[in-house]
Amino acid sequence: MPEHEYGVDAWERRERLALGVVPYVSLGLATALGLLVDHGTPGRIALQLGLSTAAVAWVTWIAVLHPDRLERPRAAGAYYVVLIGLIGALISMNGMYGFAIITGYMHAFWLGPRWRTLAVIVCAALGAAAQLGGIGSIDRGNLLVYLLVFAVNVLLAGGITLFAWRISEESDRRRDVIAELAEANARLEAALEENAGLHAQLLAQAREAGVHDERQRMAGEIHDTIAQGLAGVVTQLQAARQARERGRDWERHVDVAQRMARDSLAEARRSVQALRPQSLEESALPEALTEVAGRWTALHGVPAEVRTTGTVRTMHPEVEGTLLRTAQEALANVAKHAGASRVAVTLSYMGDLITLDVRDDGAGFAPDRVTPTADGGYGLTAMRRRVARVAGTLEIESEPGAGTAISASVPAVPMGDAG
C-alpha cells in the first residue's frame, strides 16, 4: 500500500474509533459525576439513568450498528435531533451532563453543511447552561454571564469543531483526488499497454511497407536497367544477324550490344546498392540528360533535343535520379511504340518545382486503355510509382496519331535536405 494511502486510512480509522468511543466515554463520565454530586430522589436518579441508557442505545443502534442510514440527510437530521434532545434533557436535570455535549459536537459532522452551524450553536448553548449548573440555574441575574459563556463556547468549541470538520473535508477531498489519480494511472497504464501494442503493430506494418517499397524500387530499377539494356542488346544482335546475312558490317552491332550489356550490368549493380546512376555521379542533371539523349539518338537514329530552362541547381540525389530514370523510360517507350521522327526533352527549374517534359511526334495512344501486361505496359506504371515516391506527379497527354507528351513534376529539394 502506498505511504499516502496508508496515512489516510490510519487517520480515518482513528476518526471512526473516536466517533464510536467518545459517546460512551462522555456519557459514562457524565453519569458517574452526576450520580456523585446529585443527591436527589431515587426517581430522579432513575430518570437520569434511563435517559443515559436511552442515549447510549440510540447512538449504538444508529451510529454504530447502522451508520449507512446517516448518509441520508433526513435520517441524519432525525438522529441528531433525538440525540440532542436526550442530552438536553439530561443537562436540564444535572449540569454534569455537559460533558456529553462533546458527542453533540462530533456527531454534527453527519449533518449537511447548512445545518452544522446551527448544531454548533445549539451545542454551545447547552454547554454554557451546563457550565452554569444546568438549564434550570439560568435566570435574569446570571443571564449576562450565560451569554458570555455561550459566546466563548461558540468561539472556542465551535471554532475547533468547524476547523476539525474542515480538516476532515480536506481529507475526503484528498482521498477523492488520490482515488482519481489511481484511476487515471490505471487508465494511463492501460493506454501505455495499448500504445505498446499499436507501436509493435506499426513497426510490423512499417517493415512490411519497407519491404514493399524496396520491392517496388528494385522492380523499377530492374525495368530501367536490366530490362531496357537486354532489350537494346537483343535489338543490336538482331541487327548484327541481318547485317551478316546481307554481307554488311555486322561487327559494329555486336560491339554496341557488348557495350550496352556492360553498361546495363554496371547500372544493375548500382541499383542493387541503391547508388545514384553513373551519369549523375560524373555530371549535373542537365548534362546527364543530354548524355542519355545522345546515346539514345545514336542507338535509334531519332534526334532527341534536350533543353533546360530556369536556374540550374543541384538537387537531392533521389530527386535527380527520379527525373533521369523517368527520362530514360520515356525515351525507351518512344523507341518501342511511338515510331517518332523527333523527340524534345525539356528540364525546367521553377522555384519549388522541377518539371521534366518528354514530347514526341509519334503514333500516340489512348492512355486510359493502357494496362500492365506480361510483355509491356509496365513502363508507365513504373514511372508513376517512381515519381510518387518523391511526392511528385506524372501527367500523360496523348491520342492516336497526335504524338505523346509526358510531364513529371517533383519538389525541388536541394542537396543536403532530408526530404
Side-chain angles (χ1 to χ4, degrees), residues 354-367:
I354 302 177
T355 61
L356 173 72
D357 297 302
V358 181
R359 300 177 181 271
D360 67 74
D361 60 354
F365 64 98

Side-chain angles (χ1 to χ4, degrees), residues 42 46 69 91 125 172 216 250 263 265 281 326 365 367 396 399:
R69 297 183 180 181
I91 292 175
D172 291 340
Q216 293 293 338
W250 57 273
D263 293 342
L265 179 59
E281 290 288 348
T326 301
F365 64 98
I396 301 174
E399 61 182 54

Side-chain angles (χ1 to χ4, degrees), residues 94-106:
N94 193 322
M96 287 297 175
Y97 280 97
F99 289 102
I101 204 63
I102 299 175
T103 302
Y105 282 118
M106 295 187 66

Side-chain angles (χ1 to χ4, degrees), residues 35 38-50 93:
L35 293 176
D38 191 352
H39 302 289
T41 63
R44 177 183 174 86
I45 294 175
L47 180 58
Q48 293 182 29
L49 291 175
M93 299 177 64

Side-chain angles (χ1 to χ4, degrees), residues 324-349:
L324 182 65
R325 294 300 192 197
T326 301
Q328 289 176 325
E329 178 59 31
L331 291 173
N333 286 342
V334 172
K336 291 178 184 177
H337 311 293
S341 61
R342 62 187 181 89
V343 179
V345 180
T346 304
L347 180 66
S348 303
Y349 291 83

Side-chain angles (χ1 to χ4, degrees), residues 1 42 57 67 72 76 84 92 120 135 139 142 144 146 169 181 206 218-219 233 247 278 378 392 402 405 417:
M1 179 183 296
R72 298 193 297 269
I84 288 297
S92 66
V120 168
I135 297 177
D139 54 23
N142 61 0
L144 180 59
Y146 169 76
E169 290 175 352
L181 288 176
M218 289 302 302
V233 169
Q278 182 67 32
Y378 181 80
D417 290 0

